[in-house]
Amino acid sequence: MAAPVVSRLCCGRRWALAYINRGSRPGTGTPTGSRSSGKRGQSSVVPQPLITAEKPRKGEHEWAAVVGLEIHAQIASNSKLFSGSQVHFAAPPNSLVSFFDASLPGTLPVLNRRCVEAAVMTGLALNCHINKKSLFDRKHYFYADLPAGYQITQHRLPIAVNGSLAYSLCVGKKRSQLISKTVRIKQIQLEQDSGKSLHDDQQSQTLIDLNRAEGQLRVDANISVHHPGEPLGVRTEVKNLNSARFLAKAIDYEIQRQISELENGGEILNETRSFDYKLGCTVPMRDKEGKQDYRFIPEPNLPPLLLYDSASLPAGADPQQVIDIDRIRERLPELPSVTREKLVQQYGMLPEHSLTLLNEVGLLEFFQNVMKETRAEPKKVTSWVLNTFLGFLKQQNLAVRESPVTPSALAELLNLLDRKAISSSAAKQVFEELWRSKGKTPAQIVSEKKLGLMQDRETLEQLCQATMEEHAQVVMDMKKGNPRAINKLIGLVRKATLSRADPTVIKEILEKKLSP
């Protein structure tokens, strides 16, 4: 399979981490420190800005951490990058292997058009320069799951270079402050997927699956520390991280480990490490090796990959035989940064709220569907979706698509609240009942539970008068200027109405009765 790459920023607990130009293997980029080698890998993305450490505490030395990420992403295609073999997750071992995948003599690679288009789209989304001419190379290394003895990659001239990714994150004690950062992307490259080694320790044997090697996303993190103004330190490479959470933990741990080692007179080894998620630490990999010469050479069986734009497209060219960068640009979906900006402008929501809506899969669509069916203000809808609805999902560890409450049901509930048919507290009771009882509408629940607001103002005035007479001391406290007294009276009246009275109306009646 192919692996165009994306990037992600992870912040350490005491160090602001960003990325500088680096490559995982000789010749793939400028290093973040001394090179570390590894046997495996498909593609390389190399973010570049250098970072600075926070100011050290008194008595501490100042350290800067440098992190470079290679992010391997599987393209969503029906077949592999260089063969017609299908791609299915968790297919039986070696059930999706063509003659080319098995490296039988005389077989030739055939480039998958869908993979090229996906790589171009990824490059455009990451603001990269798309090379109209890119080249394929052979990267030689010998491993059981690479039967040809080489891997087809893009070493000399990749399909996209010099991009950037702007992103936002919430900081501060309450995570209410939104700051923006930008990471530079060195390159995106198409690369053949190797097979997968399955180690059987009990039988002392290794089995090979040539279907494909990876899941949808895998990250290798290269980490080094140094004193600002001094040369970059020796780096280590933490391999095969498959979640953002483990990536962050591995980076944090490795930075702490390296600083501790150096401050205690030790040295950092140029090595490959893995992250033990159970222990929460990185450990040296058993297959550590020295520097390796991959003996890159041009791939003789693949000509240069030529792309076009509307200005360079040959007259009368068959659209099926060429790839037009501008046509792919037109098909590019709306990017998250644009969507967030629209949400802020259209609904007047806070930037951090727009960030949450996009970060939770399916939540934006849920919010938009509620907005289509409710008369409630966007601010109120945002509050209910992000606080009440999302809170219930988190409590029960559910995805948005698994929610028992539909957008239509929440919209109906907010309409009842908007026209003051129910109180805020009653609305929360209705929501809880919606969550427990599928099939019922908010109106049915309000009727069954008798949660509707009292509409008879005369009756409510009588209840207010009776409450004032029964709690004369509270009335005296209110007349003396105690601000808590009226809240207590409002609570007593609402208790008498079983929370079916609007607190705003109760307050209005009480203030009128207590006015001179």
Side-chain angles (χ1 to χ4, degrees):
M1 272 306 297
V5 253
V6 293
S7 75
R8 180 184 183 89
L9 178 77
C10 286
C11 294
R13 296 186 180 89
R14 293 174 52 203
W15 298 269
L17 303 181
Y19 310 101
I20 66 168
N21 187 3
R22 61 110 19 229
S24 67
R25 290 154 184 92
T28 59
T30 305
T32 60
S34 300
R35 291 199 176 275
S36 113
S37 62
K39 293 180 179 178
R40 307 296 304 281
Q42 292 188 346
S43 57
S44 131
V45 149
V46 194
Q48 299 176 13
L50 184 62
I51 56 157
T52 57
E54 293 180 3
K55 291 183 179 180
R57 297 174 183 173
K58 188 174 181 180
E60 288 185 322
H61 293 293
E62 186 175 330
W63 289 98
V66 180
V67 178
L69 299 184
E70 301 170 40
I71 303 180
H72 307 252
Q74 179 186 341
I75 294 176
S77 62
N78 294 325
S79 57
K80 298 182 183 180
L81 178 58
F82 295 120
S83 81
S85 296
Q86 291 186 323
V87 176
H88 290 301
F89 182 73
N94 296 310
S95 62
L96 304 173
V97 181
S98 69
F99 289 161
F100 175 79
D101 299 332
S103 303
L104 296 185
T107 56
L108 298 174
V110 178
L111 185 58
N112 185 328
R113 178 190 180 96
R114 158 63 188 155
C115 292
V116 176
E117 292 177 337
V120 172
M121 185 171 285
T122 303
L124 293 174
L126 291 173
N127 305 301
C128 290
H129 169 73
I130 307 299
N131 286 323
K132 293 181 182 177
K133 177 182 178 180
S134 59
L135 304 173
F136 289 96
D137 305 278
R138 289 185 178 183
K139 172 183 173 183
H140 293 83
Y141 63 94
F142 300 98
Y143 207 69
D145 56 21
L146 195 68
Y150 63 85
Q151 182 182 37
I152 302 177
T153 184
Q154 291 191 303
H155 171 65
R156 294 168 295 161
L157 191 58
I159 195 167
V161 295
N162 300 331
S164 64
L165 173 64
Y167 64 97
S168 302
L169 67 158
C170 297
V171 298
K173 290 183 178 179
K174 297 184 178 180
R175 300 186 66 80
S176 58
Q177 180 185 355
L178 196 69
I179 62 174
S180 298
K181 290 184 178 290
T182 300
V183 171
R184 286 183 288 169
I185 309 299
K186 181 180 183 292
Q187 67 189 54
I188 294 174
Q189 63 193 53
L190 288 165
E191 193 168 81
Q192 181 184 19
D193 197 357
S194 59
K196 182 177 183 180
S197 296
L198 305 171
H199 303 289
D200 186 341
D201 293 334
Q202 292 184 347
Q203 299 293 329
S204 298
Q205 62 182 0
T206 296
L207 305 176
I208 303 299
D209 180 7
L210 294 179
N211 284 353
R212 62 178 177 81
E214 301 182 45
Q216 295 180 340
L217 191 71
R218 178 176 61 80
V219 182
D220 301 331
N222 288 260
I223 304 157
S224 68
V225 299
H226 67 286
H227 293 300
E230 296 182 1
L232 299 179
V234 176
R235 76 167 185 238
T236 59
E237 183 174 25
V238 183
K239 302 282 288 183
N240 300 327
L241 297 159
N242 58 12
S243 79
R245 184 163 60 94
F246 290 160
L247 174 63
K249 287 185 176 182
I251 291 172
D252 278 351
Y253 176 85
E254 187 60 19
I255 291 173
Q256 298 272 11
R257 185 192 71 84
Q258 291 188 20
I259 291 177
S260 178
E261 186 75 23
L262 293 171
E263 289 186 341
N264 285 285
E267 63 176 342
I268 303 302
L269 299 179
N270 177 214
E271 62 183 351
T272 301
R273 301 175 72 89
S274 63
F275 180 68
D276 188 321
Y277 70 93
K278 292 181 180 178
L279 298 177
C281 65
T282 64
V283 294
M285 293 181 69
R286 288 178 292 179
D287 61 347
K288 184 178 66 175
E289 56 181 313
K291 290 185 179 179
Q292 188 169 350
D293 180 7
Y294 291 102
R295 296 175 292 123
F296 287 99
I297 65 170
E299 169 53 60
N301 294 323
L302 287 170
L305 174 59
L306 301 180
L307 308 177
Y308 300 90
D309 56 21
S310 54
S312 62
L313 189 67
D318 183 354
Q320 298 301 317
Q321 298 299 318
V322 297
I323 291 179
D324 187 339
I325 298 171
D326 289 332
R327 289 190 65 182
I328 295 175
R329 193 191 310 274
E330 292 172 359
R331 303 200 322 257
L332 196 68
E334 184 174 273
L335 298 179
S337 58
V338 177
T339 305
R340 288 196 296 269
E341 186 176 346
K342 285 184 177 180
L343 288 171
V344 171
Q345 293 178 352
Q346 182 177 357
Y347 299 116
M349 68 175 59
L350 296 174
E352 55 265 32
H353 291 166
S354 69
L355 194 66
T356 304
L357 282 176
L358 264 74
N359 283 353
E360 296 289 336
V361 177
L363 192 60
L364 175 60
E365 182 181 3
F366 186 95
F367 169 81
Q368 291 173 329
N369 288 335
V370 174
M371 286 299 304
K372 291 176 184 177
E373 300 185 47
T374 185
R375 295 186 297 272
E377 292 294 322
K379 184 177 181 181
K380 180 165 289 187
V381 177
T382 302
S383 176
W384 271 83
V385 170
L386 296 186
N387 296 325
T388 307
F389 176 73
L390 189 56
F392 271 68
L393 289 177
K394 296 291 186 184
Q395 287 175 8
Q396 300 189 26
N397 197 27
L398 296 176
V400 174
R401 68 177 185 277
E402 299 172 314
S403 166
V405 177
T406 65
S408 296
L410 181 55
E412 182 184 340
L413 174 60
L414 293 177
N415 285 337
L416 291 173
L417 189 60
D418 183 66
R419 65 172 185 260
K420 300 187 183 303
I422 57 175
S423 65
S424 296
S425 59
K428 291 181 180 179
Q429 294 180 53
V430 173
F431 185 87
E432 292 174 359
E433 189 65 25
L434 283 172
W435 197 271
R436 291 192 296 264
S437 306
K438 289 185 179 180
K440 291 185 178 181
T441 67
Q444 288 173 333
I445 295 172
V446 169
S447 177
E448 291 174 4
K449 302 286 185 180
K450 298 182 179 179
L451 295 173
L453 281 178
M454 291 181 61
Q455 304 299 326
D456 187 344
R457 187 179 179 95
E458 183 178 347
T459 301
L460 188 56
E461 288 183 348
Q462 292 174 357
L463 282 172
C464 288
Q465 183 64 42
T467 302
M468 292 170 59
E469 292 172 355
E470 292 174 8
H471 299 85
Q473 184 59 48
V474 178
V475 173
M476 291 297 296
D477 292 342
M478 182 177 171
K479 289 181 177 180
K480 291 178 182 178
N482 186 342
R484 296 181 179 179
I486 191 168
N487 291 333
K488 186 171 182 179
L489 283 175
I490 292 172
L492 290 168
V493 175
R494 293 196 69 226
K495 184 178 180 181
T497 63
L498 302 177
S499 298
R500 294 180 57 206
D502 186 346
T504 305
V505 177
I506 297 174
K507 184 178 181 182
E508 177 188 330
I509 294 173
L510 289 173
E511 288 178 339
K512 183 178 179 181
K513 288 184 174 293
L514 291 170
S515 60

